Each structure stands twice: as C-alpha cells, then as structure tokens.
Amino acid sequence: MCLSGLDYFSTLGYQPAIAALAAGALAPLATLMLVAVTLGAALPVYRRVANESPHGQGSISMLERLLPHWKGKLFVLVLLGFAATDFMITITLSSADASAHIIENPFTPDWFNGQQIIITLVLILLLGALFLRGFHEVIWLAVGLVATYLLLNVVVIAVAVASLVADPAPVDHWWLNLTATHSSPWMMIAISLIVFPKLALGLSGFETGVAVMPQIRHTPGDTEENPRGRIAGARKLLLTAALTMSVFLVFSSVVTTLLIPAPEFQPGGDANGRALSFLAHAMLGDGFGSIYDLSTILILWFAGASALAGMLNLIPRYLPRFGMAPEWARAIRPLVLVLIGIAVVITIAFEASVDAQGAAYATGVLVLMASAAVAVTISAKRQGQRWRAIGFGIVSVIFVYTTAANVVERPDGIRIAAFFIAGIIAVSLISRFRRSTELRATSVTLDAAALEIVKTSTEDSMVRIIAHEPVRLSAARYRHKLAHAKMASHLPEEARVLFIEIKVSDFSDFAQDIKVCGITRHGYKILQAEAPSIPTAIAAICLEIRDVTGVMPHIYFRWTEGNPVRNLLRFLFLGQGEIAPLTREVLREAEPSIARRPWVHVG
C-alpha cells in the first residue's frame, strides 16, 4: 500500500492548492465530489480490475482480450503509451515538484535558485540507483516515508482544525464569501462539476495500486490462474488507500481554503503548489515547516518509485511477449537504466517545469481510468450482471467526460501522450521486424504418435519431411505433392517421407508453445501443429526432432509464387509468405553449426 501510496498520498503536496486555485471558495465542495467519485466510482472499478487481472497488468490485459490479432496488439500499444505517459511523467513531475520545495524552503541557500533542472536530474538518478540496488529496500523505504509523511500531515491538519475551533472567524468569512458569490446550492454543485476535471489528479493512485499486485504475497491455496489471497490483499489495499486519502483530501481542502488568503494560491504566491507546507510554516514555525518540507520532498521524489515499479511490471509482460522488445527487457536492471534515461530526457525537454507536465500527467491518468471503467462494464455485461453493467456504464460516462473535458481544456496533454504512443509503436514495430527470424517457440512437444511417425519414417539416419499447406486435404493433393518433391528434389522413388502441416493460430503473437500431433490421412503420415508463424514453427520442430530422436531432418519445399517483397510482408504480419528461405534463415540463426543444422531443399 505504501509503494502505491507514494504516488497517491504524495498528491497531498499539491492537490489542496490545485483545488483552491480551480474552485476558489468552492474547493471543499469540489473535493467532496472528488471523494465521492473516488469511493463510489474509481474504487469499485479497480477492485474488479484486481479480481480479473491479478498479475498486475490492470485494465490493459482485460481490454486486450476484447480485440483479436493485430487490432488487440495495437490497442494495447496505445494504452501502454498512455500508461507510459502517466508513469514516466509521475517520475519527472514529482521530482520536479520536490526540487521546487527544496528551492522554496526559507533555509535553502540562495545559490539553489535557478538550479531546478540539475536538482531534478540528481533526484531521478538517485531513484534509479535505489532500484538498481534492489526492490526489497525500495518497499521498506516507501513504508517509512509514507508513515512519516501522513503523520506530519495529521499534525498540520489537527493544528489547523484546532485554530478554526478556537477562532471560527475564518469559517464565517468563508461562508459569507461563498453565499455572496454563489446564492444557489444548485449553482455551487454545477460549478463544482465543471471544475472537477482539474482535480482529477487526486485519483492518480489506483492504476499503481493494481500495478504493484505482483508484490503482494500469495496465501496457501493460491494458484497462478486464481491467486485468491493476492486478490483479497489487493482489494484491501485499494480500500484502505482510498479511505485514508479521502479523509486527508477533505480536511486538507477545508483548512487550506479557510486559512490561506486566496491570492497566495495564484502563480507566484507562497501557497501555490504547496498549501499544506504554507500552513506548516505559518502555524508551527519554520523549524517544523522545514521538517514537513523535507518529508514532502522525499515522498514527492520517491513517488517515482511506484511509477517505476508499474513500468517494470507492465513492459516485461507485454512488449517481449509481442516480440516488440528485446528479451533483455524482461530483466529489471537494464530496463531501469532505459527508463531513467527517458526520464532524464523528459526533464531536460520540459526544463523541470511542474506546470508544463501537469496536463500530460492528468491525461495519462484519466485515459487509463476511463479504459478501466469501460473494461469492467464490458466484463459485467458479458457475465450477465445487468445492474453492475449499468452502474459501471455510468462510471464510464463520468470518466470519459472528465477525460474529454481535460483534453479540450489542456490539449498539450494529449500531444505529449501522442509522442509516447508514437515512440512505443515505432520502437515496437522495429523490434518486431528485427526479431522476426528468431526461433519463435517457447517450447516444442511431440506427442507419442508424432514420435512414432518420425521413428518409423527414419532412413539412413535422416527423416524426409515435405511441407504441405493444410488447405486442400484430398488424397490426390498429397499424391501430387509427393510426386513433385520426387521430381524437383530427386527423392528416391521408394523413400520414406512424411508431411508437416502448420496451421497459423494468432499471427500477431510472437511466440507460443508448439504441440506436434501425429496423424495418418489417406495412408500418408503427417505431423500437425499450430503456431503464429509457419517458417519459425517448421524450423523449431525440425530442431526438436533432431534433438529428441538423434536423426537429421531434411525438409522439402517448393518455391513460393508472387512478389518477394509482398511475401516478406505476409510473413511479418500474417505468419506466412516466403516460407522456404525464411525457414532456412531461422535455422541458420538458431544453429550456427552447419553440421548440426537441418537441411532445407527447395525445388
């Protein structure tokens, strides 16, 4: 909870000031609406997401199942672009805000002024160093930081509440100001709804809440398919975090709105982006205020840890599996270096400006929440849960409206997210092309019938295999295929041969387990399998036959008709195409020794 709370609870550093700046005297009412959405909309959505995606992929994995083949993959890449926007901007924005708190502290030397970019870069590099050291240390540091930060906030808010009880004049002044400006309660509610999208950053912790699910321990009886203990732990995490944050949001908004003059929230004001810090200095002195600042700086800086944990969970689960990232992307340390490098570039590009990155952050958060709401709505509908589907549908409308309103008001956010999306898609497709001739089989298994067929077809320490497309399955077609192989490749008339047939499964998948079945059709012995790519499957099966039986496969093809470029594209996107030369290329890359490489014959 504290790891995800680094992102969620750290928004107390700037959320009260955002609410006061956006809603003025209506900030407490607008914050109550934010809390209502948190508990009544976001919390139910993500508790269901945790139930249906217990391995930390979140709503992305739910939506992936809705669209087949390349549509689903591209949709996931777009959502990963928004997730990258959310998580990466969390790292850079929080570090930039932490550096701003450092500079604005009254005890900070003057020479720190104007050094925000350098300070932010140092904080980001320190964050990366902690992750390189180990994840266990990161979690326990998160627990200490969150506990200290929340305790200090309790002190500041309690002192502020006591001040209002002793002297209720600010309450009277606020009420008079509120009723003078907004005479109608309905108008107050309407304006609060209008400004609600600006307060949406207060919802930022839910996506990281499900992203850190792999860190929740299993309980006895949990299985990989149904980790009930982990799901229960995640639901408890989300509920506890939401209730805790809701209490802090309401009280912090009330005391800051009532006790801080409105001009101080404006850009350049002392409470801009640091309302609770302003109260800590004003009511408890610069000594306690500096302690509060230090805690705020640390949790804002370390909020990037939960975001980094989210990226380290999402990327290895999708991009390498899609063939759209190198295999080393599954390893934590190299991936940390890449992500920290990207964060450095973002910080320099935006000059460590909190305001410049705020729109992108809100856009990433809201798009992911809207996608989660849509995912659980569809899930409830498919499971025949009518009333839940209606309820989640209403939540979806709320989040889609909030996202659209944010995009219209702050279009910079969608532009920045578009750069992330374009970058991920471009890098992913380039990686897919570069890895297209890898041996794309996570495993190959020959059943008993397939092994028997191979053994009975072995002749002179070799097995002759004819590649056959499983479209026309008549006896005449097999006779024709065999006759052509004998003529084109000069096979002996009485040679023992068998056929291999590969059905293309989901051609957008990069790799899968291949199960080879042996059958007999029209008197011919056949090896059958399903795989995303025909050439890579044939190569993998030939290597498995060599390793399991000790005989060398000879595979026979005929040249593919048509334009070579078009055939290459068919291979890249549909798993078919120029099968013979591509099978040979896959074998060449997989087996460097010519003497141990299965033979490829083309006629």
PDB file of all heavy atoms in Angstrom, residues 104-108 270 274 277-294:
ATOM      1  N   GLU A 104      12.271  26.497  -2.462  1.00  0.00           N
ATOM      2  CA  GLU A 104      11.402  27.474  -1.795  1.00  0.00           C
ATOM      3  C   GLU A 104      11.497  27.434  -0.268  1.00  0.00           C
ATOM      4  O   GLU A 104      10.949  28.304   0.405  1.00  0.00           O
ATOM      5  CB  GLU A 104       9.945  27.227  -2.215  1.00  0.00           C
ATOM      6  CG  GLU A 104       9.694  27.555  -3.691  1.00  0.00           C
ATOM      7  CD  GLU A 104       8.359  27.024  -4.185  1.00  0.00           C
ATOM      8  OE1 GLU A 104       7.592  26.496  -3.352  1.00  0.00           O
ATOM      9  OE2 GLU A 104       8.104  27.108  -5.397  1.00  0.00           O
ATOM     10  N   ASN A 105      12.204  26.450   0.293  1.00  0.00           N
ATOM     11  CA  ASN A 105      12.359  26.422   1.748  1.00  0.00           C
ATOM     12  C   ASN A 105      13.184  27.624   2.217  1.00  0.00           C
ATOM     13  O   ASN A 105      14.191  27.968   1.592  1.00  0.00           O
ATOM     14  CB  ASN A 105      13.042  25.116   2.165  1.00  0.00           C
ATOM     15  CG  ASN A 105      13.109  24.967   3.674  1.00  0.00           C
ATOM     16  OD1 ASN A 105      14.047  25.444   4.314  1.00  0.00           O
ATOM     17  ND2 ASN A 105      12.109  24.309   4.243  1.00  0.00           N
ATOM     18  N   PRO A 106      12.788  28.291   3.317  1.00  0.00           N
ATOM     19  CA  PRO A 106      13.497  29.504   3.753  1.00  0.00           C
ATOM     20  C   PRO A 106      14.946  29.268   4.154  1.00  0.00           C
ATOM     21  O   PRO A 106      15.742  30.215   4.159  1.00  0.00           O
ATOM     22  CB  PRO A 106      12.660  29.983   4.951  1.00  0.00           C
ATOM     23  CG  PRO A 106      11.856  28.806   5.384  1.00  0.00           C
ATOM     24  CD  PRO A 106      11.614  28.008   4.158  1.00  0.00           C
ATOM     25  N   PHE A 107      15.312  28.039   4.485  1.00  0.00           N
ATOM     26  CA  PHE A 107      16.693  27.757   4.892  1.00  0.00           C
ATOM     27  C   PHE A 107      17.590  27.338   3.735  1.00  0.00           C
ATOM     28  O   PHE A 107      18.777  27.098   3.923  1.00  0.00           O
ATOM     29  CB  PHE A 107      16.707  26.663   5.970  1.00  0.00           C
ATOM     30  CG  PHE A 107      16.040  27.069   7.250  1.00  0.00           C
ATOM     31  CD1 PHE A 107      14.842  26.485   7.635  1.00  0.00           C
ATOM     32  CD2 PHE A 107      16.585  28.065   8.060  1.00  0.00           C
ATOM     33  CE1 PHE A 107      14.223  26.854   8.811  1.00  0.00           C
ATOM     34  CE2 PHE A 107      15.964  28.445   9.234  1.00  0.00           C
ATOM     35  CZ  PHE A 107      14.776  27.851   9.610  1.00  0.00           C
ATOM     36  N   THR A 108      17.016  27.217   2.541  1.00  0.00           N
ATOM     37  CA  THR A 108      17.806  26.800   1.379  1.00  0.00           C
ATOM     38  C   THR A 108      18.713  27.945   0.929  1.00  0.00           C
ATOM     39  O   THR A 108      18.256  29.091   0.804  1.00  0.00           O
ATOM     40  CB  THR A 108      16.883  26.390   0.222  1.00  0.00           C
ATOM     41  OG1 THR A 108      16.049  25.303   0.648  1.00  0.00           O
ATOM     42  CG2 THR A 108      17.700  25.946  -0.989  1.00  0.00           C
ATOM     43  N   ASP A 270       2.946  32.235  -2.297  1.00  0.00           N
ATOM     44  CA  ASP A 270       3.694  31.324  -1.437  1.00  0.00           C
ATOM     45  C   ASP A 270       2.996  29.983  -1.230  1.00  0.00           C
ATOM     46  O   ASP A 270       3.643  29.000  -0.843  1.00  0.00           O
ATOM     47  CB  ASP A 270       3.939  31.985  -0.071  1.00  0.00           C
ATOM     48  CG  ASP A 270       4.929  33.143  -0.145  1.00  0.00           C
ATOM     49  OD1 ASP A 270       5.703  33.171  -1.129  1.00  0.00           O
ATOM     50  OD2 ASP A 270       4.927  34.005   0.745  1.00  0.00           O
ATOM     51  N   ARG A 274       1.854  24.287  -2.817  1.00  0.00           N
ATOM     52  CA  ARG A 274       2.378  23.822  -1.523  1.00  0.00           C
ATOM     53  C   ARG A 274       1.543  24.386  -0.375  1.00  0.00           C
ATOM     54  O   ARG A 274       2.055  24.985   0.570  1.00  0.00           O
ATOM     55  CB  ARG A 274       3.846  24.204  -1.365  1.00  0.00           C
ATOM     56  CG  ARG A 274       4.159  25.668  -1.582  1.00  0.00           C
ATOM     57  CD  ARG A 274       5.652  25.934  -1.686  1.00  0.00           C
ATOM     58  NE  ARG A 274       6.363  25.572  -0.469  1.00  0.00           N
ATOM     59  CZ  ARG A 274       6.543  26.393   0.558  1.00  0.00           C
ATOM     60  NH1 ARG A 274       6.038  27.617   0.526  1.00  0.00           N
ATOM     61  NH2 ARG A 274       7.210  25.993   1.611  1.00  0.00           N
ATOM     62  N   SER A 277       2.217  22.912   3.145  1.00  0.00           N
ATOM     63  CA  SER A 277       3.543  23.380   3.563  1.00  0.00           C
ATOM     64  C   SER A 277       3.470  24.831   4.040  1.00  0.00           C
ATOM     65  O   SER A 277       4.110  25.207   5.030  1.00  0.00           O
ATOM     66  CB  SER A 277       4.539  23.257   2.406  1.00  0.00           C
ATOM     67  OG  SER A 277       5.801  23.772   2.765  1.00  0.00           O
ATOM     68  N   PHE A 278       2.673  25.646   3.355  1.00  0.00           N
ATOM     69  CA  PHE A 278       2.460  27.041   3.768  1.00  0.00           C
ATOM     70  C   PHE A 278       1.892  27.086   5.183  1.00  0.00           C
ATOM     71  O   PHE A 278       2.353  27.863   6.035  1.00  0.00           O
ATOM     72  CB  PHE A 278       1.510  27.710   2.773  1.00  0.00           C
ATOM     73  CG  PHE A 278       1.208  29.149   3.080  1.00  0.00           C
ATOM     74  CD1 PHE A 278       1.942  30.179   2.527  1.00  0.00           C
ATOM     75  CD2 PHE A 278       0.164  29.486   3.947  1.00  0.00           C
ATOM     76  CE1 PHE A 278       1.660  31.513   2.810  1.00  0.00           C
ATOM     77  CE2 PHE A 278      -0.137  30.801   4.248  1.00  0.00           C
ATOM     78  CZ  PHE A 278       0.615  31.824   3.678  1.00  0.00           C
ATOM     79  N   LEU A 279       0.883  26.239   5.456  1.00  0.00           N
ATOM     80  CA  LEU A 279       0.295  26.219   6.799  1.00  0.00           C
ATOM     81  C   LEU A 279       1.288  25.710   7.840  1.00  0.00           C
ATOM     82  O   LEU A 279       1.327  26.202   8.977  1.00  0.00           O
ATOM     83  CB  LEU A 279      -0.953  25.334   6.810  1.00  0.00           C
ATOM     84  CG  LEU A 279      -2.220  25.893   6.169  1.00  0.00           C
ATOM     85  CD1 LEU A 279      -3.372  24.912   6.345  1.00  0.00           C
ATOM     86  CD2 LEU A 279      -2.587  27.238   6.759  1.00  0.00           C
ATOM     87  N   ALA A 280       2.100  24.725   7.473  1.00  0.00           N
ATOM     88  CA  ALA A 280       3.079  24.189   8.426  1.00  0.00           C
ATOM     89  C   ALA A 280       4.050  25.265   8.870  1.00  0.00           C
ATOM     90  O   ALA A 280       4.372  25.391  10.064  1.00  0.00           O
ATOM     91  CB  ALA A 280       3.828  23.019   7.790  1.00  0.00           C
ATOM     92  N   HIS A 281       4.515  26.083   7.945  1.00  0.00           N
ATOM     93  CA  HIS A 281       5.437  27.176   8.291  1.00  0.00           C
ATOM     94  C   HIS A 281       4.710  28.273   9.066  1.00  0.00           C
ATOM     95  O   HIS A 281       5.245  28.811  10.051  1.00  0.00           O
ATOM     96  CB  HIS A 281       6.053  27.754   7.016  1.00  0.00           C
ATOM     97  CG  HIS A 281       7.149  26.928   6.438  1.00  0.00           C
ATOM     98  ND1 HIS A 281       8.457  27.028   6.828  1.00  0.00           N
ATOM     99  CD2 HIS A 281       7.118  25.957   5.484  1.00  0.00           C
ATOM    100  CE1 HIS A 281       9.202  26.171   6.139  1.00  0.00           C
ATOM    101  NE2 HIS A 281       8.394  25.508   5.305  1.00  0.00           N
ATOM    102  N   ALA A 282       3.488  28.604   8.632  1.00  0.00           N
ATOM    103  CA  ALA A 282       2.772  29.736   9.242  1.00  0.00           C
ATOM    104  C   ALA A 282       2.298  29.427  10.657  1.00  0.00           C
ATOM    105  O   ALA A 282       2.305  30.306  11.535  1.00  0.00           O
ATOM    106  CB  ALA A 282       1.590  30.128   8.361  1.00  0.00           C
ATOM    107  N   MET A 283       1.876  28.191  10.905  1.00  0.00           N
ATOM    108  CA  MET A 283       1.242  27.867  12.185  1.00  0.00           C
ATOM    109  C   MET A 283       2.175  27.155  13.173  1.00  0.00           C
ATOM    110  O   MET A 283       1.939  27.181  14.378  1.00  0.00           O
ATOM    111  CB  MET A 283       0.000  26.998  11.947  1.00  0.00           C
ATOM    112  CG  MET A 283      -0.985  27.616  10.959  1.00  0.00           C
ATOM    113  SD  MET A 283      -2.565  26.765  10.887  1.00  0.00           S
ATOM    114  CE  MET A 283      -3.290  27.295  12.425  1.00  0.00           C
ATOM    115  N   LEU A 284       3.229  26.498  12.656  1.00  0.00           N
ATOM    116  CA  LEU A 284       4.110  25.729  13.539  1.00  0.00           C
ATOM    117  C   LEU A 284       5.565  26.179  13.473  1.00  0.00           C
ATOM    118  O   LEU A 284       6.428  25.550  14.100  1.00  0.00           O
ATOM    119  CB  LEU A 284       4.005  24.238  13.188  1.00  0.00           C
ATOM    120  CG  LEU A 284       2.639  23.603  13.480  1.00  0.00           C
ATOM    121  CD1 LEU A 284       2.474  22.282  12.741  1.00  0.00           C
ATOM    122  CD2 LEU A 284       2.469  23.372  14.972  1.00  0.00           C
ATOM    123  N   GLY A 285       5.825  27.222  12.714  1.00  0.00           N
ATOM    124  CA  GLY A 285       7.172  27.768  12.658  1.00  0.00           C
ATOM    125  C   GLY A 285       8.008  27.160  11.553  1.00  0.00           C
ATOM    126  O   GLY A 285       7.704  26.086  11.027  1.00  0.00           O
ATOM    127  N   ASP A 286       9.101  27.860  11.207  1.00  0.00           N
ATOM    128  CA  ASP A 286       9.951  27.405  10.113  1.00  0.00           C
ATOM    129  C   ASP A 286      10.690  26.117  10.441  1.00  0.00           C
ATOM    130  O   ASP A 286      11.057  25.366   9.535  1.00  0.00           O
ATOM    131  CB  ASP A 286      10.965  28.499   9.753  1.00  0.00           C
ATOM    132  CG  ASP A 286      10.317  29.671   9.026  1.00  0.00           C
ATOM    133  OD1 ASP A 286       9.219  29.477   8.475  1.00  0.00           O
ATOM    134  OD2 ASP A 286      10.903  30.770   9.026  1.00  0.00           O
ATOM    135  N   GLY A 287      10.915  25.843  11.741  1.00  0.00           N
ATOM    136  CA  GLY A 287      11.587  24.598  12.102  1.00  0.00           C
ATOM    137  C   GLY A 287      10.747  23.388  11.736  1.00  0.00           C
ATOM    138  O   GLY A 287      11.195  22.497  10.991  1.00  0.00           O
ATOM    139  N   PHE A 288       9.498  23.346  12.261  1.00  0.00           N
ATOM    140  CA  PHE A 288       8.602  22.240  11.911  1.00  0.00           C
ATOM    141  C   PHE A 288       8.282  22.285  10.426  1.00  0.00           C
ATOM    142  O   PHE A 288       8.198  21.234   9.762  1.00  0.00           O
ATOM    143  CB  PHE A 288       7.316  22.321  12.728  1.00  0.00           C
ATOM    144  CG  PHE A 288       6.359  21.195  12.439  1.00  0.00           C
ATOM    145  CD1 PHE A 288       6.423  20.020  13.160  1.00  0.00           C
ATOM    146  CD2 PHE A 288       5.404  21.309  11.431  1.00  0.00           C
ATOM    147  CE1 PHE A 288       5.551  18.971  12.883  1.00  0.00           C
ATOM    148  CE2 PHE A 288       4.539  20.267  11.150  1.00  0.00           C
ATOM    149  CZ  PHE A 288       4.608  19.090  11.884  1.00  0.00           C
ATOM    150  N   GLY A 289       8.103  23.512   9.883  1.00  0.00           N
ATOM    151  CA  GLY A 289       7.806  23.638   8.459  1.00  0.00           C
ATOM    152  C   GLY A 289       8.894  23.032   7.594  1.00  0.00           C
ATOM    153  O   GLY A 289       8.613  22.407   6.564  1.00  0.00           O
ATOM    154  N   SER A 290      10.149  23.179   8.026  1.00  0.00           N
ATOM    155  CA  SER A 290      11.255  22.601   7.258  1.00  0.00           C
ATOM    156  C   SER A 290      11.250  21.078   7.349  1.00  0.00           C
ATOM    157  O   SER A 290      11.576  20.390   6.375  1.00  0.00           O
ATOM    158  CB  SER A 290      12.584  23.158   7.764  1.00  0.00           C
ATOM    159  OG  SER A 290      12.658  24.555   7.514  1.00  0.00           O
ATOM    160  N   ILE A 291      10.883  20.554   8.536  1.00  0.00           N
ATOM    161  CA  ILE A 291      10.752  19.097   8.668  1.00  0.00           C
ATOM    162  C   ILE A 291       9.640  18.587   7.741  1.00  0.00           C
ATOM    163  O   ILE A 291       9.785  17.568   7.060  1.00  0.00           O
ATOM    164  CB  ILE A 291      10.461  18.713  10.135  1.00  0.00           C
ATOM    165  CG1 ILE A 291      11.645  19.074  11.017  1.00  0.00           C
ATOM    166  CG2 ILE A 291      10.129  17.223  10.246  1.00  0.00           C
ATOM    167  CD1 ILE A 291      11.387  18.870  12.502  1.00  0.00           C
ATOM    168  N   TYR A 292       8.532  19.334   7.727  1.00  0.00           N
ATOM    169  CA  TYR A 292       7.431  18.961   6.834  1.00  0.00           C
ATOM    170  C   TYR A 292       7.886  19.039   5.370  1.00  0.00           C
ATOM    171  O   TYR A 292       7.574  18.156   4.565  1.00  0.00           O
ATOM    172  CB  TYR A 292       6.228  19.877   7.060  1.00  0.00           C
ATOM    173  CG  TYR A 292       5.036  19.528   6.196  1.00  0.00           C
ATOM    174  CD1 TYR A 292       4.119  18.577   6.610  1.00  0.00           C
ATOM    175  CD2 TYR A 292       4.857  20.122   4.947  1.00  0.00           C
ATOM    176  CE1 TYR A 292       3.040  18.234   5.812  1.00  0.00           C
ATOM    177  CE2 TYR A 292       3.785  19.786   4.144  1.00  0.00           C
ATOM    178  CZ  TYR A 292       2.873  18.839   4.577  1.00  0.00           C
ATOM    179  OH  TYR A 292       1.814  18.499   3.774  1.00  0.00           O
ATOM    180  N   ASP A 293       8.618  20.090   5.036  1.00  0.00           N
ATOM    181  CA  ASP A 293       9.128  20.228   3.675  1.00  0.00           C
ATOM    182  C   ASP A 293      10.019  19.046   3.299  1.00  0.00           C
ATOM    183  O   ASP A 293       9.930  18.513   2.186  1.00  0.00           O
ATOM    184  CB  ASP A 293       9.922  21.526   3.528  1.00  0.00           C
ATOM    185  CG  ASP A 293       9.020  22.730   3.303  1.00  0.00           C
ATOM    186  OD1 ASP A 293       7.830  22.522   3.010  1.00  0.00           O
ATOM    187  OD2 ASP A 293       9.503  23.870   3.430  1.00  0.00           O
ATOM    188  N   LEU A 294      10.896  18.658   4.236  1.00  0.00           N
ATOM    189  CA  LEU A 294      11.796  17.537   3.951  1.00  0.00           C
ATOM    190  C   LEU A 294      10.996  16.264   3.685  1.00  0.00           C
ATOM    191  O   LEU A 294      11.291  15.515   2.740  1.00  0.00           O
ATOM    192  CB  LEU A 294      12.747  17.329   5.136  1.00  0.00           C
ATOM    193  CG  LEU A 294      13.729  16.157   5.003  1.00  0.00           C
ATOM    194  CD1 LEU A 294      14.631  16.343   3.797  1.00  0.00           C
ATOM    195  CD2 LEU A 294      14.536  15.991   6.280  1.00  0.00           C
TER     196      LEU A 294
END
